[in-house]
Structure formats: structure tokens, C-alpha cells
């Protein structure tokens, strides 16, 4: 199946709700219910062939097949590790997540925050799983992956050494949900090693489908504590960390028992009265389940003796569980970064809290069509995908006291962790935001060109271009219409992305691209209109039957273009010549008569004029960008997706289109538009075909 067919099929699935948390897509096409039922019928435990208990599932370098770190590793099921394993004991808790011999504290901090809201947890960890009567060695979890939810099936063979779990484990030795969750996530990314090193934001987003924002605490805005409280009240997930200055500081412990280069989760924010004065406190958790802050407001510190008993009773402040309180002022001074994952409306079940409005778009940067690079690349920048957003209502009760429309923009590139194994680097990405000119407001069926994008400055943009999985930022702009243009820093960099926009108020948003239309000139020619000299030429070519066949047409066209030095061509193919005849053959003979051939000749002359006019550098070929303008001049308006297909079909390896390919493309477009119009009898923009009609048209 062609990639474009898969893409279009996937889009149709999304329109039907496939890819939501309620209709998650089976990862690797493995259906949990049917696989489990099959195992129970056979009375056999599930073995996952797509993520087997083999060295490659552990990793490829430091955890590779011959690494010292993987010596002695055995894959065992929970029932081989203890007599009475449990999936979850007394509910999933933050203390169920203790880090093992894998540098994925970023992931574990995200899992710990996940346990704060059972509704959110159950979206990732479907309920009803156990080691009870229906146990079959199979479990499943759901993750958000680049715009869609996937359901991931695993067997319960876990990596162990000396009878103990090698990686994440619960403080309760008989509980296994966190270890199985980690395995499912490792499967999605390709291996356990692919989880090494990361940002808590990534885990937050893959567990919720939310959009994250990051704050440098050295530049914390004055209202950040209020943002933290509001975020926790909305069920948002929060993480924090301390930057390191060198690799030697990784997981170094400070004098006050904070760990550098380590991912913590922030789980609470409260204001208490200390000796009669209000003090802002935050609660932080170390996913190790131990090593806690020993400064002011730490477990059983003297500060607690001066807090009102009723306030103190509300706060758990003495358990040795890796979780601790500290003053917000100390938090800002000691930690470097705070990350907040804002949740999608479908994640939040309470009507008592405000919800973000949310929209999401898939996109591609394709070399030769939509990979335009940043604004520095004036020749190609305007070819990037464009998305329009209409902001109408200002925020209620703004934190900073200024009127405006708050929104978050997240630009995420796909499959970074999977590509680590192949040694591929992420693209350097960013975006620019332009105000829509007055004359174009209210329209989404245009694509802003150089007359707008190169003559005006963006009204806002990403603060940097960076090679991370996602770049997200918060903006506040006056009501109006704006276009967001995501791009790589350099042009001609291939990649796939999703663009997400969260707004405080409902907005209208959509891709900004041209309508698909054709303005085809009709030729009314009779035999008496044909020049006598042209008629004599035709008779010489056509032969005794007075008609031009496919082979005869190919011969005459190639003879003519071979004599031209101003255009490059590999010669017209039999396929192209056949399409020309199909387009103009009125009587179904499979050949062209005099009038039909004359009509074709006029078309080719017109194509040649357009080709030469659009060949700006006189190279004898059209660049992929020149091709779009040439197609438009010929009467066809296509959007970015169709242009990508045209480039992949008709351009060479240098993304140049020669004349025969150009002519073949225009003939094909005209034929497709005419066929569609023939079947779209009610002019609805949609047609329905049975299998016979489809095959006859596709093979034509």
C-alpha cells in the first residue's frame, strides 16, 4: 500500500474517533482482548513476539548484548519472583515507583505524578488487570504517541538479576504495575535503553496527551506560585530538576540532600501560617523513594512546631518516603527548572474547574515542497505549512493583570527515541506567528506568500530554534487572526510534526491552504479550423488510418522536444502518451484523430510557454517551488498535500522537473479533475465508487 493511501486512511480513522483514549489504536496491531482470550482458551501464558525477552529489548549500547551491565540478566514473570504477586496493592501510590538500574528518573517522576489523580491513571493503566483467576501473562497500557492514543500489549516477563527486578520496582515487593508500565513504555520506544535520559515533560505528555510548558526558576515570574496552585487544582502534572554544569555532577547530592541532574515531581502547593505570618510551601517527591531535603520545612523540622495544629493536620510532613515540603522561596533558589503539563479537556472529569480549549494538526516537512526552513531562507520560507488561529475573547482574571488572549503553542517532532538507535539526530525546530492582513481575514483557503511573510515581521515567535522533541511556549496577544508557521531551522530537512494550540477561550483554528480547484479552458475546434499545413503534417505522422496511436504520438513528441535546447527532457514515456490519448480520445478508438491531435498540440504549446516563463534560472527544468506556480498558471490550484505528492511523483533526485514530466503532470491533473466532475453529479465535492468503477478509473 502506498504511503499516501495509508495517510489518507489514517485521517479517515481520526474523523471516526480512532486514536482517542476511548478508541486507542492497537500497537503493532495486537488486540489485548483477543490475545488474552486465546491464551485462556489454550491455558497458556502469553509470549510477546514483538518485544521478546532477548538482549535487544534491553538495549543497543550500554545495555547491549555484550555489555557488562546486562550480564546475569534473567527475564522472569512475577509469579517466579514471589508467591502472591499483585498488580496494584491498596491503590496506585507515588511510593510504588522506585528507580532501578536505569537512568529514567524523568519517566518515574511523571509516573509518580500520574498517581495523584485516579481518573488520569486509569487512562494509562486500564483497570481490571490482575494476577487472579483470569491471569494469562498478558497486560496492557495506553500511551499518547504524537497525537493519538495507542494500546500497548506486553507479556509479564521482566528483566531481573539475582531474583530482583533490574529496573523500576515498588517499595511493596509484591506489587508490579509500575514495572509492567515501564516495560510497555520501553516497547513503544524500542528498548529499555531508549528510556535513558530525558525530560519529565515527555512522560507527562505521553501519559495525558497534554501540552507542557517550562519555567527557568532563576527567571520565575512573580505570579508563578499562583500558576502552580491553579495547575495542581486542574490536575496538571508538575516536575522540577536541578541543572548540572558537568557530567560529574549527575546525581550528585547537595549538602541539603537534593540530587542534581535528577527529575523530581511537584505534588502540592499550600500556604500555611508560621508564627502568624503566611508562608508559601511546595511539596516535592524524589522518585527514588528516599533521599529528602533536610533544610527548612523538611520532615519533622522545627518550623512545623510553629504551624497551627489544624493546618499541620492537613499536611503529611513526616513520612520517610522521598516526599518533602520546602518553602517556595527555597524551592526557587535551589531548583533550576519547573515543568507543567496542562491537560486536554477530555482528561479532566470535573466540571468544577476550568478547561483549556484544544486543537491539534498533523504536518510534514518534505524536501522539495514544504521543508522551507526558518525566515533566514527567504527563497523557501513561505513554502512551510501554515495554520490560522482566530482569537476573539480576552482572558478572565489574568494572572499578570493585563488584558489579552493567552494561548500555548507546542511544536513536536515525531519518533525521536526510536531513531536514537539509528544514530539519527532530531531536527532543530521553531515557529513564527504572523498577524493576518486585513484583506485576508476570515479566510483559510489561502497560503501566505512573500508579499506578506517577507515584508512584515512576525508578531511573536519561539524564543529559540532547538533540537528537542517538543518546543512549547506561552503567549498573550490581542484579539485577532494569526498564522503560525512551524519550520526547521535549515531548509530541506525532512520531518513529521504535530502542532498543538491550547487556549483559555474557545477559538477557531485550521490549516491555512488553498482550495483545490481547476479552471480548464475548453477548446472548440472543427476540422475546418485546422491549418492546411498542420493537416499535411498530421497525415504524414498518422499513416493510412488517419489516426495517431500511442507509439506514433511518443515518436513525434520526442522528435520535437529533442531539437529544443531550452528545455531538458528524458523523452515522453508510453504511459504519458497513453494518458494524453485517454484525455482527448472522444470516440474511444485509443487513438487521436486530426481535431483531437490539434487540441493536444495547442495544449503542449501552452505548457511549453508556461514552462519557459517559470524557469527562472534558465536551467531547462523547474524547481519544485517553481512547479507550484507553473501548475497554478496552467489553471490548477492545489494544496500542500497534493503538491507533496506531485513532487514525489514527478521530480528527480535533485527535486527538478523536466518538461516531459511537467506536461505529463498537467495532463494527469486535467484527466483526474474531469473524471471527478463526471461522477460528482450533484456538485457536493464527494464521490462514491464501487470496486468496478474504482479499478477501471485507477487502471485507466
Amino acid at each position: 500500500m502506498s504511503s499516501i493511501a495509508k495517510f489518507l486512511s489514517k485521517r479517515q480513522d481520526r474523523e471516526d474517533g480512532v486514536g482517542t483514549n476511548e478508541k486507542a489504536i492497537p500497537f503493532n496491531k495486537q488486540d489485548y482482548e483477543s490475545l488474552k482470550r486465546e491464551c485462556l482458551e489454550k491455558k497458556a501464558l502469553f509470549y510477546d513476539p514483538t518485544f521478546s525477552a532477548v538482549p535487544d529489548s534491553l538495549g543497543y549500547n550500554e545495555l547491549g548484548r555484550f555489555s557488562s551491565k546486562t550480564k546475569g540478566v534473567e527475564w522472569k514473570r512475577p509469579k517466579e519472583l514471589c508467591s502472591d504477586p499483585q498488580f496494584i496493592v491498596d491503590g496506585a501510590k507515588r511510593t510504588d515507583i522506585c528507580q532501578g538500574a536505569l537512568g529514567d528518573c524523568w519517566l518515574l517522576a511523571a509516573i509518580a505524578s500520574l498517581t495523584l489523580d485516579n481518573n488520569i491513571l486509569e487512562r494509562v493503566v486500564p483497570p481490571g488487570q490482575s494476577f487472579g483467576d483470569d491471569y494469562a501473562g498478558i497486560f496492557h497500557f495506553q500511551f499518547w504517541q504524537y497525537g493519538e492514543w495507542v494500546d500497548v500489549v506486553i507479556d509479564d516477563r521482566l528483566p531481573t538479576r539475582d531474583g530482583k527486578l533490574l529496573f523500576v520496582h515498588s517499595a511493596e515487593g509484591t506489587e508490579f504495575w509500575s514495572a509492567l508500565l515501564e516495560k510497555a513504555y520501553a516497547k513503544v520506544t524500542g528498548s529499555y535503553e531508549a528510556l535513558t535520559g530525558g525530560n519529565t515533560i515527555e512522560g507527562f505528555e505521553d501519559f495525558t496527551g497534554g501540552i507542557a510548558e517550562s519555567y527557568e526558576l532563576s527567571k520565575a515570574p512573580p505570579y508563578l506560585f499562583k500558576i502552580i496552585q491553579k495547575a495542581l487544582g486542574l490536575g496538571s502534572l508538575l516536575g522540577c530538576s536541578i541543572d548540572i554544569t558537568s557530567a560529574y555532577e549527575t546525581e550528585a547530592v547537595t549538602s541539603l540532600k537534593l540530587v542534581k541532574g535528577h527529575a523530581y515531581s511537584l505534588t502540592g502547593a499550600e500556604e500555611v501560617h508560621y508564627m502568624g505570618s503566611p508562608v508559601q510551601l511546595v511539596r516535592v517527591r524524589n522518585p527514588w523513594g528516599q533521599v529528602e531535603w533536610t533544610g527548612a520545612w523538611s520532615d519533622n523540622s522545627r518550623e512545623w512546631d510553629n504551624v497551627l495544629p489544624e493546618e499541620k493536620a492537613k499536611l503529611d510532613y513526616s513520612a520517610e518516603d522521598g516526599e518533602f515540603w520546602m518553602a517556595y522561596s527555597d524551592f526557587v533558589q535551589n531548583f533550576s527548572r519547573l515543568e507543567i503539563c496542562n491537560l486536554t479537556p477530555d482528561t479532566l472529569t470535573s466540571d468544577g474547574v476550568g478547561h483549556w480549549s484544544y486543537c491539534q494538526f498533523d504536518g510534514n516537512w518534505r524536501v522539495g515542497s514544504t521543508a522551507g526552513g526558518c525566515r533566514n531562507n527567504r527563497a523557501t520560507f513561505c513554502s512551510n505549512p501554515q495554520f490560522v488561529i482566530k482569537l476573539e475573547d480576552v482572558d478572565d482574571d489574568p494572572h499578570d493583570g493585563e488584558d489579552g488572549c493567552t494561548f500555548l503553542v507546542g511544536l513536536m517532532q515525531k519518533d525521536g527515541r526510536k531513531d536514537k538507535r539509528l544514530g539519527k539526530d532530531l531536527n532543530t525546530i521553531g515557529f513564527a506567528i504572523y498577524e493576518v492582513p486585513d484583506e485576508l481575514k476570515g479566510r483559510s483557503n489561502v497560503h501566505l506568500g512573500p508579499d506578506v511573510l517577507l515584508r512584515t515581521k512576525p508578531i511573536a515567535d519561539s524564543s529559540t530554534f532547538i533540537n528537542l522533541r517538543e518546543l512549547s511556549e506561552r503567549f498573550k496577544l490581542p484579539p485577532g487572526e494569526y498564522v503560525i508557521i512551524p519550520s526547521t531551522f535549515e531548509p530541506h530537512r525532512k520531518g513529521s510534526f504535530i502542532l498543538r494550540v491550547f487556549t483559555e477561550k474557545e477559538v477557531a483554528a485550521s490549516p491555512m491552504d488553498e482550495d483545490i480547484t481547476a479552471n480548464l479552458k475548453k477548446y472548440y475546434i472543427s476540422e475546418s479550423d485546422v491549418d492546411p499545413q498542420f493537416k499535411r503534417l498530421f497525415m504524414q505522422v498518422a499513416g493510412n488510418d488517419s489516426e495517431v496511436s500511442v507509439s506514433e504520438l511518443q515518436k513525434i513528441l520526442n522528435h520535437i522536444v529533442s531539437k529544443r535546447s531550452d528545455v531538458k527532457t528524458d523523452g515522453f514515456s508510453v504511459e504519458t502518451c497513453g494518458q494524453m490519448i485517454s484525455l482527448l480520445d472522444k470516440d474511444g478508438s485509443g487513438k487521436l484523430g486530426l481535431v483531437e491531435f490539434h487540441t493536444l498540440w495547442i495544449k503542449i504549446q501552452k505548457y511549453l510557454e508556461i514552462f519557459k516563463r517559470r524557469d527562472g534560472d534558465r536551467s531547462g527544468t523547474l524547481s519544485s517551488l517553481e512547479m507550484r506556480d507553473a501548475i497554478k498558471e496552467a489553471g490548477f490550484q492545489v494544496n500542500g498535500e497534493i503538491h507533496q505528492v506531485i513532487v514525489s511523483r514527478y521530480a528527480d533526485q535533485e527535486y527538478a522537473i523536466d518538461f516531459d514530466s511537467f506536461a505529463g503532470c498537467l495532463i494527469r491533473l486535467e484527466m483526474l479533475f474531469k473524471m471527478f466532475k463526471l461522477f460528482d453529479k450533484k456538485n457536493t465535492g464527494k464521490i462514491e465508487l464501487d470496486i468496478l468503477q474504482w479499478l477501471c478509473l485507477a487502471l485507466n
Side-chain angles (χ1 to χ4, degrees), residues 82 86-100 108 111-112 115 164-165 167-179 285-290 292 319-323:
C82 63
Q86 302 293 313
F87 187 64
I88 295 178
V89 177
D90 296 329
K93 303 177 292 297
R94 299 183 298 281
T95 53
D96 296 345
I97 304 107
C98 300
Q99 189 171 357
L108 309 189
I111 297 174
T115 64
K164 295 182 179 180
L165 291 176
F167 302 131
V168 72
H169 54 279
S170 172
E172 172 61 61
T174 61
E175 187 176 42
F176 289 91
W177 74 270
S178 58
R285 185 173 192 280
N286 183 344
W288 287 349
Q290 55 187 345
E292 298 183 11
E320 187 62 36
D321 55 4
E323 192 166 61

Side-chain angles (χ1 to χ4, degrees), residues 7 93 176 198 212 238 287 304 361 430 453 504 521 583 598 618 621 638 658 674 693:
F7 173 77
K93 303 177 292 297
F176 289 91
L238 293 84
W304 291 105
F361 305 103
L453 301 182
E504 288 205 4
K521 183 177 179 180
L583 177 64
H598 190 263
R618 301 293 184 266
T621 62
V638 300
D658 58 16
K674 285 186 173 180
Q693 293 168 321

Side-chain angles (χ1 to χ4, degrees), residues 1-10 366 494 645 648:
M1 186 188 297
S2 71
S3 59
I4 189 64
K6 290 181 180 178
F7 173 77
L8 294 174
S9 173
K10 195 171 185 179
R366 290 292 176 260
K494 180 181 178 181
V645 175
S648 64

